[in-house]
Amino acid sequence: MNGVTSQLSAPQEFTVFVDGQAAMTGPDRAALVEFQQKVARLQRAASGALETANQLKTRLGLIKRALHETPTAEAKLTSDASSIEKRANEILRALRGDNALRQRQEILPSSIIERVGTIVSDQRMSTSAPTQTQKDQYADAAKEFEQVLDQLRTLIEGDLARLEKAMEAAGAPWTPGRIPEWKDS
């Protein structure tokens, strides 16, 4: 109260019981916890990659506009930006699915994010070891995600970095994520 913390009571001990845990064997419980932790790590990484790819799309829109406003920029730079954007779209399709086809009610295979979300949802209140189907879904999603993450990393750390360096050399307007170079003449 008024910036002063006061102890209201002495610490109390209590025991938490998970409903249905009594029916689980020790190995089943350990397998469940281990699997849930693996899936949570994959979900964290996939969500981060999706957000990074979304930010890349925004960044590329600004880059293309900046190149349009740079008279000294070679046409190849705009072509490179379009190529990077096309590859970013492919990465986004792998991560979240094809929104255009989904809007037309097309039947699509599950995206990485959807598969991971299904596993998380199925495991959230589970009181049994993961099923073989869930393990297979995880393995497939993790394998596909590893490839997509490598593509995203190459795109940002390689191709985008080269494009932004060339933009700086051409005197293009500043764009988010690009550190300007400065030397007093």
Side-chain angles (χ1 to χ4, degrees), residues 33-44:
V33 169
E34 179 185 347
F35 186 71
Q36 287 174 334
Q37 289 172 345
K38 282 174 42 172
V39 173
R41 285 191 306 271
L42 178 58
Q43 184 181 38
R44 179 193 65 79

Side-chain angles (χ1 to χ4, degrees), residues 144-173:
E144 186 177 348
F145 176 67
E146 189 174 330
Q147 294 169 352
V148 169
L149 184 60
D150 285 344
Q151 292 169 2
L152 181 61
R153 184 172 281 116
T154 299
L155 196 62
I156 292 173
E157 294 174 356
D159 300 333
L160 181 64
R162 281 189 293 279
L163 174 62
E164 289 179 331
K165 187 171 184 155
M167 288 175 64
E168 188 67 30

Side-chain angles (χ1 to χ4, degrees), residues 92-150:
L92 283 167
R93 262 192 298 282
L95 287 170
R96 69 172 181 222
D98 191 324
N99 290 335
L101 290 178
R102 189 173 286 123
Q103 289 174 345
R104 288 183 259 157
Q105 306 299 319
E106 294 289 330
I107 298 173
L108 302 170
S110 296
S111 69
I112 294 169
I113 295 292
E114 289 168 335
R115 279 185 271 157
V116 172
T118 298
I119 299 168
V120 168
S121 176
D122 291 347
Q123 285 291 303
R124 181 151 301 167
M125 304 300 262
S126 180
T127 56
S128 63
T131 66
Q132 188 59 48
T133 300
Q134 291 167 340
K135 291 177 185 177
D136 292 345
Q137 280 183 319
Y138 172 83
D140 292 344
K143 183 179 179 183
E144 186 177 348
F145 176 67
E146 189 174 330
Q147 294 169 352
V148 169
L149 184 60
D150 285 344

Side-chain angles (χ1 to χ4, degrees), residues 169-182:
W174 176 84
T175 53
R178 181 165 52 105
I179 300 173
E181 295 178 11
W182 168 255

Side-chain angles (χ1 to χ4, degrees), residues 51-92:
E51 185 57 33
T52 300
N54 283 328
Q55 289 174 3
L56 175 60
K57 284 282 293 175
T58 301
R59 218 166 139 182
L60 286 166
L62 295 170
I63 285 171
K64 289 169 80 173
R65 190 171 87 202
L67 287 171
H68 180 71
E69 295 172 1
T70 308
T72 59
E74 299 174 16
K76 181 184 181 320
L77 296 181
T78 302
S79 173
D80 290 348
S82 294
S83 173
I84 291 170
E85 185 175 42
K86 180 181 176 189
R87 290 168 45 210
N89 287 337
E90 292 168 5
I91 289 169
L92 283 167

